[in-house]
Amino acid sequence: MLLTLSSPQKTVSLAAQLAARIEPGDCLALTGELGAGKSTFARGFLRVLSEDPALDVPSPSFSLVQPYDTVKGPVFHYDLWRLSGPDELYELAWDDACEAIMIVEWPQRAEELLPINALHLTFSYGEAENERKVLLEGWPEERLTGLAL
């Protein structure tokens, strides 16, 4: 499913709608160029699940993982850019995270350890200045039906 997001607020709206559908054991795999909307999406998603619109959501670029307690249970936000290889994931609570909710930036670095049922969100620039495109793949269509932007 390819969606056009006309503003950062639409990216946050998509995050909120997916937060309403997410369950423990689900993984959101975020891919895209720098500035394409991954961080905006992750912040919106975590703020909705924590029920705290002012929640500080730092990038996990240096820590590699940032855990959160939310209304749907634990969420682990990973940024795997600096990961040397998938074997390092075991030092980052990966097994526990696979039973919780995961947001994974740079998911290709997890290789075969990324959950096979992950929802892949590929962000790209749109034609207008604030416009973004996002391709959603991996979940059954009925789980994405009704997304309204």
Side-chain angles (χ1 to χ4, degrees):
M1 168 183 292
L2 181 63
L3 301 174
T4 299
L5 308 171
S6 60
S7 67
Q9 293 78 13
K10 294 291 185 181
T11 301
V12 171
S13 175
L14 173 63
Q17 291 177 63
L18 290 176
R21 297 162 192 241
I22 202 87
E23 297 295 333
D26 284 340
C27 175
L28 301 178
L30 310 182
T31 305
E33 296 176 51
L34 186 65
K38 298 183 305 290
S39 294
T40 299
F41 176 90
R43 281 188 192 99
F45 183 86
L46 289 162
R47 287 174 176 159
V48 166
L49 279 186
S50 69
E51 297 182 336
D52 181 356
L55 179 70
D56 183 32
V57 181
S59 171
S61 294
F62 294 103
S63 63
L64 301 179
V65 62
Q66 185 70 39
Y68 296 88
D69 290 319
T70 74
V71 296
K72 290 196 176 183
V75 176
F76 292 84
H77 182 193
Y78 288 90
D79 183 329
L80 304 182
W81 171 250
R82 296 185 318 114
L83 199 70
S84 297
D87 291 341
E88 290 181 19
L89 291 172
Y90 295 112
E91 299 170 20
L92 302 173
W94 189 260
D95 288 337
D96 293 335
C98 286
E99 296 177 16
I101 296 169
M102 302 169 70
I103 303 171
V104 182
E105 297 184 49
W106 298 95
Q108 64 274 23
R109 298 197 185 247
E111 298 179 8
E112 72 280 351
L113 297 180
L114 190 72
I116 59 171
N117 62 342
L119 175 62
H120 293 264
L121 293 92
T122 304
F123 291 85
S124 59
Y125 291 97
E127 295 176 21
E129 182 178 342
N130 286 322
E131 185 179 87
R132 300 294 186 261
K133 304 278 186 185
V134 62
L135 178 64
L136 287 77
E137 300 175 294
W139 279 3
E141 188 175 323
E142 60 270 5
R143 204 156 171 208
L144 298 174
T145 300
L147 291 175
L149 302 169

